Amino acid sequence: MTQSTEVSIPKCFNYFRAIDTPMGQSIKWKMERTAKSHLDIPDEMATAFGRAMNTGDRLGDAYIDAAFASPTGKARARKDVEEALSHGIDSVKDPSPELLALFEQLNTDPEWVDWNKVEHGAEVFRRYGSELYPYFGMMTFNAYGLETIATPLAMTGAYTGGSAFGRFLETSRLWTDTTEPGAMRPGGVGRRSAVMVRVLHSIIRHTLLPHPEWDRDRLGVPISQFGMLGTLLLSSFAPGQQLKLLGYLPTDDDILAMMHHWHYVGYLMGLEPPCYPETMVEAFQVGLLQALSEVPNIGEDSHKLCHSFMDTYLPAEDARGLRRVYGKLRYKAGLGHARFYLGAGGYQATGLPDPGLWQYTPLARFIPNLVRETLRRKVPGVAGWIDQRHRRTRHEWLNTHLEGGEAKFAPVDKLTR
């Protein structure tokens, strides 16, 4: 692990206070049963991840801070990045030293990257098709109870009110772009999306850090290194484990490849964690750190975020007849999926209505998924057919819901408070 010891640990970092409590030991024991291994975390590792809560994107933040300090830099910031991505850094007129440093990193492959694993991980991700996206949206509900996550989202309005589904669709665009074949290579669509989201995150940090409502001493940095790592594992390790309940059959090598793929995506997005898990046990260790990192603070912001997402499943106000009936059924099924994924305690914290028997809705997909997975593994040619079909349906789903099929990855014009 390499990290400056001058960075302070935010007061909200709760791991050392929680690990020896009955609750902490219970969570650890349950995770150890699943991991089939002890998950003892060295104090040095926990301390480093605590500091990671107070660390942002070194190069991306430096570029945005410098650009926004210039009278014309704010207007050029995103355009210069787009130009450099499309035509190379040499095509940018009078690039700043910070932009040159940023693209030197982007254009240099890290020593650890294995491109075969990157492509394998992207293919594993595609096996889940568009069904994976609502799963991600609902699994994020757990994070909405954490101030370090809920406060930036609530202040920017990114996932509240009418913008909730639009922002979710843009994130779905990122997941799709970054997992297309060859998408992470120079000139690839996934590479562009990852870098533009990186710029968006740096703009959010630049905007929120000086805001009087953001207490850095207590909360650390918005969209921190620790938070980014958790998001990447939510995109790889988490579905690889949990969606086995729905009939999927990923091997450990499949899940590790998916984690490796998202490690490289994270590299392009400014991820520089103290360490990145390379084994299943290490992934469980980071998962335990995540689970005990912060005391949940369930409040108005977290409930608004959960309801804003789920309300997108409701029928339109002007819907009548079968459209209205279908919309209500879709909403109840959505509640059922959220209850199934989050469990009783996690779901209760959302403040959403009790879904009743709808909580078992996801199990209806177990047999179809298991049959498809078995054929994929046993019958030559089926894996390729599934991959093509899922690639097509993902794009069709996005083109139907996302205006123009493209994401802007643009910051909000004005904070909500």
Side-chain angles (χ1 to χ4, degrees):
M1 293 182 291
T2 58
Q3 187 186 51
S4 171
T5 57
E6 296 178 1
V7 177
S8 62
I9 298 177
K11 293 177 182 177
C12 71
F13 185 66
N14 193 55
Y15 173 80
F16 290 113
R17 294 187 291 269
I19 185 58
D20 291 325
T21 65
M23 180 204 69
Q25 287 296 298
S26 174
I27 292 173
K28 181 173 181 284
W29 177 75
K30 290 176 182 177
M31 294 186 70
E32 287 178 334
R33 284 189 63 190
T34 305
K36 298 181 174 64
S37 173
H38 292 295
L39 298 179
D40 299 318
I41 298 172
D43 286 352
E44 178 190 9
M45 178 181 175
T47 299
F49 276 103
R51 293 193 179 106
M53 289 185 74
N54 202 13
T55 308
D57 171 6
R58 178 174 54 92
L59 296 174
D61 294 354
Y63 167 63
I64 289 300
D65 289 346
F68 278 41
S70 165
T72 60
K74 185 174 182 179
R76 285 186 54 183
R78 284 167 47 85
K79 292 179 181 178
D80 283 354
V81 172
E82 286 269 26
E83 175 67 22
L85 285 170
S86 300
H87 305 290
I89 187 65
D90 292 338
S91 68
V92 179
K93 183 180 179 181
D94 298 325
S96 67
E98 291 81 8
L99 182 63
L100 291 171
L102 175 63
F103 271 84
E104 181 180 0
Q105 182 251 333
L106 291 171
N107 294 332
T108 303
D109 282 350
E111 293 181 358
W112 49 261
V113 71
D114 181 331
W115 281 103
N116 289 328
K117 281 188 178 180
V118 170
E119 293 299 332
H120 178 193
E123 182 273 322
V124 175
F125 189 95
R126 293 194 300 269
R127 291 179 197 168
Y128 300 98
S130 58
E131 159 174 61
L132 196 54
Y133 300 160
Y135 165 83
F136 285 148
M138 294 165 189
M139 285 301 293
T140 309
F141 290 178
N142 282 323
Y144 291 164
L146 308 178
E147 277 191 272
T148 55
I149 304 296
T151 302
L153 292 174
M155 289 174 68
T156 60
Y159 277 92
T160 55
S163 68
F165 195 52
R167 287 290 179 175
F168 170 70
L169 289 172
E170 290 204 342
T171 308
S172 300
R173 180 80 267 173
L174 172 70
W175 293 322
T176 299
D177 288 349
T178 52
T179 54
E180 284 291 287
M184 302 313 299
R185 293 285 192 172
V189 64
R191 195 179 189 89
R192 175 199 173 275
S193 290
V195 175
M196 295 312 297
V197 170
R198 178 179 189 170
V199 172
L200 169 63
H201 286 171
S202 289
I203 293 174
I204 291 172
R205 292 188 203 96
H206 179 88
T207 305
L208 293 187
L209 275 172
H211 193 283
E213 191 173 332
W214 187 266
D215 184 349
R216 181 169 183 175
D217 186 51
R218 184 167 62 87
L219 299 177
V221 169
I223 317 177
S224 68
Q225 289 289 325
F226 189 67
M228 285 192 284
L229 176 59
T231 300
L232 295 174
L233 293 181
L234 181 64
S235 302
S236 54
F237 177 71
Q241 293 294 331
Q242 191 171 19
L243 295 187
K244 292 176 182 178
L245 297 173
L246 299 185
Y248 289 98
L249 302 173
T251 64
D252 284 357
D253 284 345
D254 286 338
I255 298 172
L256 289 172
M258 198 158 46
M259 288 164 54
H260 189 83
H261 170 270
W262 283 103
H263 189 185
Y264 184 70
V265 176
Y267 173 80
L268 296 181
M269 295 177 71
L271 179 74
E272 295 180 300
C275 60
Y276 190 90
E278 296 182 355
T279 67
M280 301 299 285
V281 171
E282 289 173 357
F284 276 107
Q285 284 182 312
V286 175
L288 178 60
L289 273 168
Q290 292 278 344
L292 301 180
S293 65
E294 194 175 341
V295 177
N297 182 17
I298 309 299
E300 184 179 357
D301 282 346
S302 56
H303 282 171
K304 278 184 177 179
L305 290 163
C306 294
H307 281 264
S308 293
F309 181 86
M310 290 308 304
D311 284 352
T312 62
Y313 285 84
L314 287 168
E317 291 184 5
D318 60 350
R320 297 291 183 270
L322 289 177
R323 282 182 59 210
R324 188 163 191 81
V325 172
Y326 172 75
K328 288 184 176 181
L329 292 176
R330 183 180 62 177
Y331 177 69
K332 290 180 179 179
L335 293 176
H337 278 73
R339 170 61 177 80
F340 181 86
Y341 295 140
L342 297 172
Y347 184 82
Q348 185 177 9
T350 66
L352 293 167
D354 182 359
L357 294 177
W358 286 93
Q359 66 185 283
Y360 302 109
T361 303
L363 293 177
R365 299 202 303 274
F366 180 86
I367 296 300
N369 287 343
L370 181 61
V371 170
R372 185 178 63 249
E373 282 283 274
T374 302
L375 292 174
R376 177 187 61 79
R377 298 174 68 173
K378 301 291 186 182
V379 180
V382 170
W385 176 82
I386 291 172
D387 189 47
Q388 291 180 6
R389 182 174 180 273
H390 280 175
R391 287 180 62 197
R392 184 175 64 253
T393 56
R394 294 193 313 172
H395 285 287
E396 289 173 350
W397 185 80
L398 278 170
N399 290 336
T400 299
H401 294 93
L402 183 60
E403 184 178 355
E406 297 299 326
K408 297 182 178 65
F409 301 126
V412 296
D413 294 326
K414 185 179 179 181
L415 296 180
T416 58
R417 59 189 190 230

